[in-house]
Amino acid sequence: MEEEYRYWLNLSSTTNRSVSVILSALSDLVKSYNDIASAALKDVPEILENVDVQLSKLWKDRALIKAAFTEDRARRIFALFDEQCVSVLQSSAEKDKIWTADSSEAEEFLTDCLAICNKWSDVCRALTEELWPEDERNRWTSGLVKAESTEKLRQRLDQIRTIKATVEEVADLLGSTLDKPHPSEVFMKIDNLNVGKGGDEVWTAAFRNFDQKMSRYDDVIAERLKKKFYNPTADSRQVC
């Protein structure tokens, strides 16, 4: 983000264009960008609210120097914040904490992460799909800016939540904790929030390993469910 600011700072010193309004808006965005890196996760959505306002001001001021500040440059700023959100979440996640921490602590972490992903996606959609395309004086014409990195991370977080819920449900059905090595241990050795190409491949391999380990409980679960719901005195097709 600082690089983007320096670009406009250099432009202001080498051309006659009046870019002071852009520099002012970018200065606020640089601060928010850096604040995201240092804030507690639960506070990041509020910072993104400020980014929403700052981007709106930037786009409004852009009308003064439309030729210089293109939609491609605006998209670059969206991409920088998208990457910053993901970077902060990745650096906040310890490899095994999601799986070994107290369940309420792990759930709080996942909830905070999802709130950030959802908030940034909402900002992108509200500005580039709803508000700016309707601005007759300064219309946005290049379509929705997709929060690609945070969306990939949101999907990964949803998968983690589903896996954790599945493990808990199976343990409840068995009436005990799962055998060691615990099936979810395969995820403790990898970077769970790496959503790059290499990270996707590692995650897929870990999930297949997990699925294979969980399959050992299929017959036991089926038998427990049969005993729990089957009424031997009733019709064989009837459950209690």
Side-chain angles (χ1 to χ4, degrees):
M1 195 65 210
E2 287 86 352
E3 182 180 342
E4 184 70 12
Y5 181 83
R6 286 195 297 271
Y7 169 84
W8 289 98
L9 188 62
N10 292 335
L11 188 65
S12 68
S13 63
T14 58
T15 72
N16 293 324
R17 292 190 180 103
S18 175
V19 297
S20 59
V21 289
I22 298 296
L23 285 171
S24 175
L26 283 174
S27 178
D28 292 337
L29 284 166
V30 168
K31 182 180 184 305
S32 293
Y33 182 88
N34 293 330
D35 285 347
I36 289 172
S38 59
L41 293 184
K42 67 179 183 299
D43 295 329
V44 173
E46 184 176 350
I47 297 173
L48 293 177
E49 285 276 6
N50 294 334
V51 172
D52 186 335
V53 174
Q54 292 158 1
L55 285 169
S56 294
K57 181 179 185 302
L58 176 63
W59 189 247
K60 179 181 178 181
D61 293 342
R62 173 252 188 187
L64 301 175
I65 52 170
K66 189 176 295 185
F69 193 83
T70 64
E71 292 191 12
D72 283 344
R73 294 218 72 90
R75 282 181 172 274
R76 170 175 164 76
I77 293 173
F78 277 100
L80 288 171
F81 275 95
D82 191 39
E83 293 165 4
Q84 179 75 325
C85 288
V86 170
S87 176
V88 166
L89 295 182
Q90 289 174 335
S91 63
S92 299
E94 299 175 18
K95 282 186 178 180
D96 61 347
K97 184 177 181 180
I98 294 173
W99 306 100
T100 61
D102 175 82
S103 59
S104 60
E105 182 182 355
E107 179 59 25
E108 181 180 4
F109 173 74
L110 293 173
T111 298
D112 288 342
C113 290
L114 283 165
I116 293 170
C117 293
N118 290 333
K119 182 60 184 179
W120 180 240
S121 180
D122 288 345
V123 169
C124 293
R125 182 174 58 255
L127 294 181
T128 64
E129 189 174 54
E130 299 172 9
L131 299 177
W132 292 357
E134 299 299 320
D135 185 347
E136 294 182 0
R137 293 180 60 253
N138 192 26
R139 194 183 303 276
W140 178 268
T141 61
S142 61
L144 172 67
V145 171
K146 296 180 180 179
E148 293 183 354
S149 296
T150 49
E151 175 57 23
K152 287 181 180 178
L153 188 55
R154 185 196 64 75
Q155 293 174 7
R156 178 68 56 80
L157 291 164
D158 283 340
Q159 290 173 333
I160 291 172
R161 261 186 164 174
T162 299
I163 291 168
K164 288 175 66 67
T166 299
V167 169
E168 291 175 3
E169 289 171 4
V170 170
D172 286 343
L173 285 171
L174 295 175
S176 64
T177 57
L178 304 190
D179 298 337
K180 293 185 178 181
H182 197 282
S184 62
E185 285 185 17
V186 298
F187 298 111
M188 299 178 192
K189 303 173 184 178
I190 68 171
D191 184 352
N192 288 266
L193 302 189
N194 182 348
V195 291
K197 182 179 179 181
D200 279 343
E201 293 172 353
V202 171
W203 172 264
T204 299
F207 182 80
R208 286 174 180 164
N209 194 351
F210 166 79
D211 193 45
Q212 183 178 22
K213 291 179 182 297
M214 289 296 290
S215 66
R216 77 178 79 157
Y217 300 105
D218 289 349
D219 291 341
V220 177
I221 292 171
E223 186 63 27
R224 293 290 176 90
L225 289 173
K226 182 178 179 181
K227 290 180 179 179
K228 183 175 182 179
F229 294 110
Y230 177 61
N231 183 350
T233 63
D235 185 275
S236 60
R237 293 168 296 177
Q238 181 179 341
V239 294
C240 297

